[in-house]
């Protein structure tokens, strides 16, 4: 077989086909590289990273604000249960003072007068201490009945004041922060002019 035959045989044709395929692959790769701009890829990656960073920063800011709010609430309302118990003690001191008739107090000897004065000082000191820790007395008498702060115990016929006006406080109410520690137990007027924006219904049970 001559050299010319060898060069034009099946092996030569296969080699030419392989070379053509390789050339085509190289051309395709070059075309693909030209379609994907490295600068555009970097810009896209940068935009994605920036978006992730902004989302993370927003999450951290929300967490910081929530933590600050929770710490503030914990500080403000930490004494809630203790304050409520102390109000019960203050109520007992007030009942003890009110149990003593005015005549007996006026005719009391030095010892009884000193005892009464001591109980009054103790009550005032306790309430002052509670106020220093954020507990404040609810000003109810003469105010329009508010079921969020008042608990209606009875109605008092009184045409001289607007309907649903608090005319008597049976037990003082207290609040801590913006929360009601104990609603004021009150008597409300019935029969007078309608209190503006309050309606005629009296329902202190949902306080």
């Amino acid at each position: 077989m001559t050299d010319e035959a060898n060069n034009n045989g099946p092996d030569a044709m296969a080699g030419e086909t392989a070379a053509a395929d390789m050339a085509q692959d190289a051309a395709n790769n070059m075309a693909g590289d030209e379609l994907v701009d490295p600068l555009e890829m970097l810009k896209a990656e940068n935009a994605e990273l920036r978006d992730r960073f902004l989302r993370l920063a927003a999450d951290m800011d929300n967490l910081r604000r929530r933590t600050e709010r929770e710490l503030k609430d914990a500080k403000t309302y930490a004494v809630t249960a203790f304050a409520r118990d102390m109000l019960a003690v203050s109520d007992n001191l007030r009942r003890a003072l009110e149990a003593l008739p005015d005549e007996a107090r006026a005719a009391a000897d030095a010892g009884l007068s000193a005892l009464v004065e001591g109980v009054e000082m103790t009550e005032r000191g306790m309430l002052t201490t509670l106020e220093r820790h954020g507990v404040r007395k609810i000003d109810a008498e003469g105010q329009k009945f508010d079921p969020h702060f008042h608990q209606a115990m009875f109605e008092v016929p009184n045409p001289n004041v607007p309907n649903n006006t608090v005319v008597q406080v049976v037990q003082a109410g207290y609040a801590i922060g913006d929360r009601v520690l104990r609603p004021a137990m009150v008597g409300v007027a019935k029969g007078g002019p309608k209190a503006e924006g309050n309606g005629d219904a009296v329902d202190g049970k949902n306080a």
Side-chain angles (χ1 to χ4, degrees):
M1 183 177 294
T2 64
D3 294 338
E4 184 178 355
N6 289 334
N7 292 335
N8 294 329
D11 292 339
M13 294 178 64
E16 291 176 357
T17 302
D21 292 341
M22 292 177 63
Q24 184 64 39
D25 291 341
N28 291 337
N29 291 334
M30 291 180 63
D33 292 340
E34 291 177 356
L35 292 176
V36 180
D37 188 349
L39 181 58
E40 294 300 325
M41 291 180 59
L42 290 176
K43 288 182 178 180
E45 291 179 2
N46 182 64
E48 182 181 357
L49 291 174
R50 184 173 183 276
D51 182 66
R52 292 172 61 183
F53 171 77
L54 292 176
R55 290 177 182 273
L56 179 61
D59 289 342
M60 293 301 297
D61 189 54
N62 290 335
L63 177 61
R64 177 184 60 80
R65 293 180 181 180
R66 184 167 60 251
T67 301
E68 289 178 352
R69 184 170 60 251
E70 290 175 352
L71 289 174
K72 181 180 178 180
D73 288 347
K75 181 179 179 181
T76 301
Y77 303 113
V79 298
T80 297
F82 176 76
R84 189 175 288 113
D85 290 341
M86 288 301 97
L87 288 179
V89 177
S90 177
D91 291 339
N92 289 333
L93 293 175
R94 173 49 44 188
R95 293 188 187 99
L97 292 171
E98 292 176 350
L100 185 65
D102 293 338
E103 298 79 7
R105 179 178 296 192
D109 56 20
L112 181 57
S113 296
L115 176 61
V116 171
E117 183 178 353
V119 173
E120 290 175 338
M121 290 179 61
T122 301
E123 181 192 30
R124 288 195 301 269
M126 180 177 297
L127 294 177
T128 300
T129 301
L130 289 173
E131 185 176 356
R132 195 161 56 241
H133 288 277
V135 178
R136 69 182 189 281
K137 188 176 181 179
I138 295 175
D139 186 16
E141 189 167 357
Q143 302 296 316
K144 183 173 66 176
F145 176 78
D146 186 341
H148 295 98
F149 297 96
H150 311 141
Q151 181 173 340
M153 305 303 295
F154 51 85
E155 293 179 329
V156 179
N158 189 339
N160 299 320
V161 296
N163 195 45
N164 286 346
T165 298
V166 176
V167 293
Q168 184 177 346
V169 177
V170 179
Q171 185 181 66
Y174 291 86
I176 180 170
D178 58 356
R179 301 178 185 175
V180 175
L181 185 63
R182 185 181 73 184
M185 297 183 180
V186 300
V188 295
K190 180 182 180 181
K194 181 179 179 181
E196 184 178 353
N198 196 46
D200 293 328
V202 175
D203 182 15
K205 302 305 180 183
N206 58 355

